[in-house]
């Protein structure tokens, strides 16, 4: 049996591979990548590499074996038909008769456009008949802490989320849950709603940034339309800007508060506090 991780050199994929190497021998781990050079560090540690692309179905022919456990990390090419890309992996997993197909989805409560591809992929997973685990990942701390430059430049957190709250967690936390499912037992045909232990508001986030930087950073609540304009002005394509503004609208409605405790239970530890992620980002 191998544990196969798609998108292995992405930001989440790297965390998953690193944590798998703490639990299983390297030769049991297969990293599926588009660019072999980006995974040279994994190969040097004994991880097996497979070169394949969601947009090239033939590259997945024969990639999986019966009894493999596969983690399908959702693609990030919003303009290339992600459900179709994911189906390439699902079809290959079905053809091989894999033991488990885990998929990084979105919270069941999320109605924003961002969730549409995830719902479509979940339907394809269920229709395939392959034993599955749906890892409905909530929001990542890093969605905010990796983009601190404009916040620190303008001393303002700008969002269209009103007083809404987010129970985010770190990528490493979500990776720990995925690794627990891939290396554990009795996760077949389960759905996990994953989010951080503590929900926070953007006013609280601004206050935490103020505390750690010594600057006065405010929360500037704007409309979804205004946020779309700000993001496109910063260079984001308008469709992506609209998707992100739609997520903020969902946050205002409480759709990114995930209070099941599934994430800390699977990870076997409390989730990373937002304050720690802020501290790490400011150091970096």
């Amino acid at each position: 049996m191998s544990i196969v991780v798609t998108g292995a050199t992405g930001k989440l994929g790297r965390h998953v591979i690193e944590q798998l190497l703490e639990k299983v021998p390297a030769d049991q781990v297969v990293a599926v990548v588009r660019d072999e050079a980006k995974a040279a560090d994994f190969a040097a540690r004994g991880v097996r590499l497979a070169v394949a692309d969601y947009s090239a179905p033939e590259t997945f022919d024969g990639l999986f074996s019966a009894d493999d456990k596969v983690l399908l990390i959702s693609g990030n090419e919003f303009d290339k038909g992600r459900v179709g890309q994911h189906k390439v992996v699902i079809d290959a997993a079905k053809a091989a008769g894999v033991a488990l197909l885990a998929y990084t989805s979105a919270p069941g409560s999320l109605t924003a456009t961002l969730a549409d591809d995830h719902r479509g992929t979940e339907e394809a997973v269920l229709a395939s008949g392959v034993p599955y685990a749906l890892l409905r990942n909530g929001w990542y701390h890093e969605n905010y802490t990796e983009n601190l430059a404009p916040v620190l430049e303008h001393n303002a957190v700008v969002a269209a989320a009103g007083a809404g709250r987010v129970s985010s967690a770190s990528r490493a936390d979500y990776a720990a849950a995925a690794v627990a499912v891939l290396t554990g037992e009795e996760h077949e045909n389960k759905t996990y709603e994953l989010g951080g232990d503590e929900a926070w508001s953007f006013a609280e986030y601004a206050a935490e940034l103020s505390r750690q930087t010594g600057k006065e950073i405010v929360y500037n609540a704007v409309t979804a339309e205004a946020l779309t304009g700000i993001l496109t002005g910063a260079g984001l394509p308008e469709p992506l800007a609209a998707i992100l503004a739609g997520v903020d609208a969902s946050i205002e409605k409480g759709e990114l508060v995930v209070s099941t405790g599934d994430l800390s239970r699977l990870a076997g530890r409390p989730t990373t506090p937002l304050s720690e992620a802020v501290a790490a980002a400011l150091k970096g």
Side-chain angles (χ1 to χ4, degrees):
M1 179 205 84
S2 298
I3 296 174
V4 187
V5 180
T6 73
T9 53
K11 290 177 176 176
L12 178 61
R14 282 197 160 272
H15 280 289
V16 172
I17 298 286
E18 289 291 347
Q19 293 187 41
L20 277 172
L21 291 175
E22 295 171 9
K23 291 201 164 189
V24 298
D27 63 2
Q28 287 182 20
V29 179
V30 179
V32 181
V33 299
R34 285 190 293 196
D35 182 351
E36 212 167 350
K38 288 185 180 173
D41 55 327
F42 291 152
R45 293 161 70 185
V47 173
R48 289 181 286 146
L49 303 186
V51 178
D53 190 320
Y54 294 158
S55 298
E58 67 281 359
T59 60
F60 279 90
D61 288 348
L63 196 154
F64 305 133
S65 301
D67 298 329
D68 282 353
K69 291 184 177 180
V70 178
L71 176 63
L72 167 54
I73 294 181
S74 56
N76 58 6
E77 296 175 315
F78 294 95
D79 56 340
K80 292 198 176 171
R82 291 198 296 168
V83 177
Q85 289 185 327
H86 298 157
K87 266 186 68 54
V88 167
V89 180
I90 295 165
D91 290 346
K94 179 180 180 178
V98 302
L100 183 73
L101 175 63
Y103 171 64
T104 61
S105 192
S109 53
L110 187 64
T111 62
T113 304
L114 180 75
D116 292 349
D117 287 349
H118 292 299
R119 299 295 159 253
T121 301
E122 288 188 5
E123 288 171 12
V125 169
L126 295 179
S128 74
V130 172
Y132 66 86
L134 299 179
L135 307 176
R136 289 180 169 170
N137 287 358
W139 225 219
Y140 300 155
H141 292 331
E142 291 90 344
N143 291 345
Y144 303 104
T145 60
E146 284 181 353
N147 300 294
L148 286 180
V151 174
L152 299 177
E153 182 184 342
H154 300 290
N155 293 328
V157 171
V158 179
R165 303 179 77 78
V166 184
S167 45
S168 62
S170 70
R171 283 200 188 96
D173 294 335
Y174 292 108
V179 168
V181 166
L182 293 167
T183 59
E185 300 298 330
E186 298 184 6
H187 296 292
E188 293 83 2
N189 305 329
K190 299 276 179 69
T191 298
Y192 296 106
E193 297 285 351
L194 304 175
D197 294 336
E198 292 185 30
W200 50 268
S201 69
F202 285 87
E204 290 167 347
Y205 175 48
E208 182 62 32
L209 285 167
S210 300
R211 185 182 73 79
Q212 294 201 30
T213 61
K215 302 166 80 174
E216 187 178 341
I217 295 173
V218 299
Y219 169 39
N220 183 9
V222 298
T223 64
E225 293 75 21
L227 182 62
T228 303
I230 290 166
L231 294 173
T232 52
L236 258 63
E238 188 162 355
L240 180 56
I243 284 172
L244 295 176
V247 170
D248 274 16
S250 284
I251 290 171
E252 185 167 22
K253 292 185 238 173
E255 293 177 5
L256 275 178
V257 174
V258 180
S259 54
T260 59
D262 283 355
L263 181 52
S264 52
R265 264 196 302 278
L266 283 172
R269 56 172 173 73
T271 60
T272 305
L274 179 66
S275 58
E276 274 187 32
V278 168
L282 291 172
K283 271 186 205 158

